[in-house]
Amino acid sequence: MILSRYERMIAKRYLLPGKGEGFIFLVAGISLVAVMLGVAALIIVMSVMNGFRAELFDKIVGLNGHAVVQGYGGRLPDWQSILSQAKATPGVTSATPMIEQPLLGSFQGRVEAVLVRGMTVGDIRANKTMKAKIISGNLDALTPNAAKIGIGSLLAENLGLQVGDSLTIINPAGRSTPFGTMHREVSYQVAAIFEIGIYDYDKALVVMPIEDAQTLLLLGDVVGMIEVETVNPDRVGAILEPLAAKVAGRAVVTDWRQMNASLFEALAVERVAMFVVLSIIVLVAVFNILSSLIMLVRAKTRDIAILRTMGASRVGLVKIFMTVGVTIGALGMVAGMVLGFTFLFFRQSVVNAIQFVTGQNLWDPSIRFLTELPSQPDPVEITVICVMALLFSFLATLYPAFKAANTDPVQVLRYE
């Protein structure tokens, strides 16, 4: 929309308060602030929701792979052949055997539920999710038959464990004896303490070489599952479809979406719901722009009539009032982006400050799954939010702009 020199001058004057127009300017200012808050709220919430999904995806998939081939009853006897078939499947980048079993851990009379995970030594040392935040110790110390383990930070905190202490793993399904089944207790030295950032894993995970897990669980040469990674996690179902057909009847293929379906579906629904609800804030702000422009048109009726008698066109008046409304929306949009990005940059400090002032724990990892408030701004979403704010602002200018353009100078100036 190209404005002439006089149209720009008049639009600029109408944006600033004139004599006796303080109330109109106040309403326009409220409209700008409302647009700012709406845009900021959308940017903050959508970025945090994206951060939630990205963090959960990276940590859950980084720890569990894109899919697992799991045997019935938690046993996969012919795992070598299935492992070969998995590696030969097009699109599969890696496949490793793994054992996972919930057991009990004891230290100095304290007992906690633990999730024992047996992995190959190479997979343990190459796992970026665990190695990224080693609090103490070293995962490289985990070698077969060395009776050493790595544990989550919250498990270490709950049991009072430190590197070098011995954790006793209790397997209720022990050996059968004439006196009944005797549970099995094996002590392991803590070689590393890590913090994955997901509460459920930090609270219970115990990692050991797969050979030690087989000995602890009396599995012999059997594993529980095969962890698979693919070239594209979003296409994991299509990539592993041939493998699922080959292992049918012996095992079942479960991808990351199925393993965490309720969590990611809840995030997707919440994301859409929050976008719709917060968009209403922008819509309310747009109605404020509409009301301020209507009041401005009524206050400037005489000026509009004089402009019409001096040769101002209807199109020119439409452009003037559209420019005023869109400018308010654009300024609010820019201010909202600045406010939103500022909040995201200092988000954890803001959360900590609110917790300090209120004395309430606003970020409980046991509920939120993550230890810190995540954020991942999406340029496409931010562009959609900004375009939406500008579009709503533009639509709000149509009625008052055409109302001003249709002003009859004869009727207005008849008694002047």
Side-chain angles (χ1 to χ4, degrees), residues 60-82:
I60 291 175
V61 173
L63 194 64
N64 297 326
H66 298 161
V68 294
V69 183
Q70 191 166 11
Y72 295 108
R75 301 291 186 269
L76 202 63
D78 55 342
W79 62 272
Q80 292 91 344
S81 63
I82 296 177

Side-chain angles (χ1 to χ4, degrees), residues 49-295:
M49 295 297 293
N50 290 337
F52 258 118
R53 187 185 186 281
E55 287 288 327
L56 286 172
F57 177 82
D58 289 343
K59 291 178 178 180
I60 291 175
V61 173
L63 194 64
N64 297 326
H66 298 161
V68 294
V69 183
Q70 191 166 11
Y72 295 108
R75 301 291 186 269
L76 202 63
D78 55 342
W79 62 272
Q80 292 91 344
S81 63
I82 296 177
L83 180 65
S84 301
Q85 291 173 339
K87 290 181 176 180
T89 302
V92 173
T93 56
S94 69
T96 56
M98 188 171 68
I99 295 172
E100 191 171 273
Q101 183 69 36
L103 297 174
L104 295 174
S106 174
F107 177 69
Q108 293 184 350
R110 301 177 184 175
V111 179
E112 289 282 342
V114 299
L115 181 66
V116 173
R117 174 170 293 187
M119 306 167 64
T120 63
V121 172
D123 193 28
I124 292 174
R125 295 177 180 176
N127 192 291
K128 297 178 181 179
T129 304
M130 285 190 294
K131 294 190 71 173
K133 289 188 177 181
I134 294 293
I135 295 178
S136 60
N138 194 337
L139 288 174
D140 293 341
L142 273 63
T143 56
N145 304 315
K148 292 186 178 181
I149 56 174
I151 64 174
S153 57
L154 292 177
L155 177 61
E157 181 180 338
N158 291 340
L159 290 177
L161 285 164
Q162 296 180 352
V163 171
D165 292 338
S166 293
L167 173 66
T168 300
I169 305 295
I170 304 170
N171 178 13
R175 295 185 182 276
S176 297
T177 69
F179 303 100
T181 302
M182 301 295 293
H183 66 265
R184 183 176 174 81
E185 296 184 8
V186 181
S187 294
Y188 297 90
Q189 185 182 33
V190 177
I193 299 174
F194 51 79
E195 182 178 1
I196 296 171
I198 298 179
Y199 179 83
D200 289 351
Y201 289 111
D202 289 337
K203 183 175 181 290
L205 188 61
V206 174
V207 176
M208 63 177 64
I210 194 169
E211 294 85 354
D212 291 355
Q214 288 174 330
T215 302
L216 171 65
L217 298 172
L218 305 173
L219 294 177
D221 192 34
V222 175
V223 302
M225 63 187 73
I226 293 175
E227 180 186 275
V228 180
E229 291 192 7
T230 63
V231 293
N232 187 349
D234 292 325
R235 295 185 57 251
V236 64
I239 292 173
L240 296 181
E241 188 174 353
L243 178 63
K246 293 178 181 177
V247 301
R250 295 180 293 166
V252 60
V253 178
T254 308
D255 62 42
W256 64 271
R257 290 171 297 190
Q258 296 168 322
M259 289 187 286
N260 306 279
S262 58
L263 176 60
F264 285 101
E265 286 178 7
L267 284 175
V269 172
E270 185 178 0
R271 187 166 168 268
V272 174
M274 293 301 292
F275 183 87
V276 173
V277 170
L278 293 175
S279 296
I280 297 176
I281 299 177
V282 180
L283 193 59
V284 171
V286 165
F287 278 109
N288 286 335
I289 294 176
L290 174 64
S291 61
S292 65
L293 285 179
I294 290 175
M295 287 189 293

